[in-house]
Amino acid sequence: MALPIPGGCVRLGISRKVHVNRRLTVFATVSPPKSDGVTVDWVEATSGFFQKDTRPIMLFDGVCNLCNGGVKFVRDNDRNRRIRFEALQSEAGKNLLRRSGRAADDISSVVLVEKDRSYIKSEAVLKIMEYIDLPFPQLAFFLQFVPLFVRDFMYDNVANNRYTIFGRSESCEI
């Protein structure tokens, strides 16, 4: 009998070896260069978003009812207005997606863009929770101990079915 371990296998008995196939998962994509061959530095190109206002920007699917409800929830629980909002479908949203290392047409996840870093999926949700009022920062603290693959699995299941469950609107409500 052989048990798979990262990087190989361990022989425990008289059975054959079991090899582990590793699969690479892409977490972000790099925007393709412009048609004239010039590569754009999206951090530099979008630095104007943070020159006068350093608050993070929450990118959301503007036609998703769940996402619009999430934005309303964050606004209602962010009395100090520490987060700004931008639809993923807007030109600014597309540029900020590129800044975050994602394709401009990728509307699969909420993204929180800070001046020096971006967060996606469940990490974005937890980071947003840290910015809003009590008790959400404390809840985010405890949820960070749930493994990332479990949080993202749950996030992906909701995100992949959000239109079916919650519906969509014809335009961004925010």
Side-chain angles (χ1 to χ4, degrees):
M1 176 179 171
L3 293 176
I5 62 169
C9 60
V10 175
R11 170 100 51 207
L12 295 178
I14 55 172
S15 187
R16 62 188 159 183
K17 287 185 177 182
V18 175
H19 293 278
V20 178
N21 289 333
R22 293 187 183 194
R23 206 183 261 183
L24 295 176
T25 303
V26 177
F27 290 105
T29 58
V30 178
S31 298
K34 284 185 162 183
S35 60
D36 60 1
V38 177
T39 304
V40 176
D41 179 359
W42 289 106
V43 173
E44 181 65 33
T46 58
S47 63
F49 287 108
F50 297 99
Q51 283 180 346
K52 293 183 180 178
D53 190 348
T54 60
R55 295 178 298 162
I57 302 169
M58 178 180 163
L59 303 177
F60 66 99
D61 182 352
V63 297
C64 169
N65 290 337
L66 173 63
C67 303
N68 284 315
V71 168
K72 289 176 186 174
F73 177 83
V74 170
R75 275 197 320 197
D76 291 345
N77 290 285
D78 183 14
R79 284 182 266 151
N80 295 326
R81 302 292 179 236
R82 291 178 274 199
I83 297 178
R84 297 180 283 167
F85 305 94
E86 189 65 50
L88 289 164
Q89 292 88 343
S90 70
E91 203 55 45
K94 291 176 182 180
N95 290 338
L96 288 167
L97 272 173
R98 290 181 184 113
R99 175 191 180 105
S100 302
R102 301 183 67 82
D105 60 348
D106 182 0
I107 60 168
S108 66
S109 174
V110 66
V111 179
L112 185 71
V113 183
E114 293 179 335
K115 183 177 182 177
D116 299 321
R117 183 168 178 200
S118 296
Y119 302 88
I120 61 167
K121 295 186 180 186
S122 66
E123 285 189 318
V125 172
L126 291 183
K127 192 65 176 176
I128 291 165
M129 290 171 69
E130 291 177 15
Y131 281 101
I132 62 178
D133 302 330
L134 295 175
F136 298 102
Q138 291 76 10
L139 183 58
F141 173 78
F142 288 109
L143 288 174
Q144 76 179 347
F145 295 110
V146 175
L148 179 63
F149 76 93
V150 172
R151 287 186 280 133
D152 279 349
F153 175 78
M154 293 171 34
Y155 181 95
D156 287 337
N157 279 316
V158 172
N160 292 337
N161 297 296
R162 67 188 185 268
Y163 295 137
T164 304
I165 298 169
F166 299 98
R168 62 187 298 160
S169 57
E170 292 300 314
S171 62
C172 181
E173 296 176 20
I174 304 300

